[in-house]
Amino acid sequence: MIYITGDTHNTTDMSNLSSRTMKLCCMEQGVGFHDITYAIVLGDFGLPWSSDCEIDERGIHPADHTDRYLLKWYNQKPFKVLAVMGNHDNYYVIEKLPETR
């Protein structure tokens, strides 16, 4: 199942992807939280927020404490998090990320 949400703006609206919010939405739709395989953020994902990131073939390694926390938080989710870039995203860093298939 795919879960779709709007802007997360780094930590400002990260509750859009909190387990509590997602479980409530799933309950309202009559589906199981554990059936989610992908979560898509439609614009303004906000990670990385800071331009202070080391980038290599494995991805980003933020120097910023908040960015490191969010990266770890998203990686611990039981589903893949995908993002559509918006006008409040850090294109300077995003354009340097390696492409993967």
Side-chain angles (χ1 to χ4, degrees), residues 14 17-18 68-77:
M14 68 187 274
L17 288 175
S18 71
R68 279 196 319 270
Y69 170 80
L70 279 177
L71 186 61
K72 181 178 177 183
W73 190 73
Y74 285 126
N75 283 328
Q76 291 175 340
K77 295 291 181 190

Side-chain angles (χ1 to χ4, degrees), residues 47-101:
L47 184 65
W49 197 260
S50 170
S51 292
D52 190 14
C53 285
E54 182 182 323
I55 301 169
D56 62 23
E57 65 279 349
R58 295 172 308 166
I60 63 172
H61 308 283
D64 178 75
H65 172 75
T66 302
D67 283 357
R68 279 196 319 270
Y69 170 80
L70 279 177
L71 186 61
K72 181 178 177 183
W73 190 73
Y74 285 126
N75 283 328
Q76 291 175 340
K77 295 291 181 190
F79 45 80
K80 290 206 181 270
V81 178
L82 308 172
V84 175
M85 299 296 97
N87 63 319
H88 294 128
D89 284 304
N90 189 341
Y91 285 92
Y92 175 77
V93 173
I94 293 167
E95 290 172 353
K96 294 180 180 182
L97 291 172
E99 290 186 27
T100 60
R101 296 191 187 271

Side-chain angles (χ1 to χ4, degrees), residues 13 16-17 19-20 23-24 26 38 50 54 63 75 82 91:
D13 299 312
N16 290 349
L17 288 175
S19 296
R20 180 178 180 201
K23 286 176 182 178
L24 181 60
C26 287
Y38 294 95
S50 170
E54 182 182 323
N75 283 328
L82 308 172
Y91 285 92

Side-chain angles (χ1 to χ4, degrees), residues 12-54:
T12 304
D13 299 312
M14 68 187 274
S15 64
N16 290 349
L17 288 175
S18 71
S19 296
R20 180 178 180 201
T21 299
M22 293 177 76
K23 286 176 182 178
L24 181 60
C25 289
C26 287
M27 186 178 71
E28 290 172 353
Q29 298 296 318
V31 295
F33 171 75
H34 295 289
D35 294 331
I36 297 172
T37 52
Y38 294 95
I40 302 174
V41 179
L42 298 178
D44 298 343
F45 183 59
L47 184 65
W49 197 260
S50 170
S51 292
D52 190 14
C53 285
E54 182 182 323

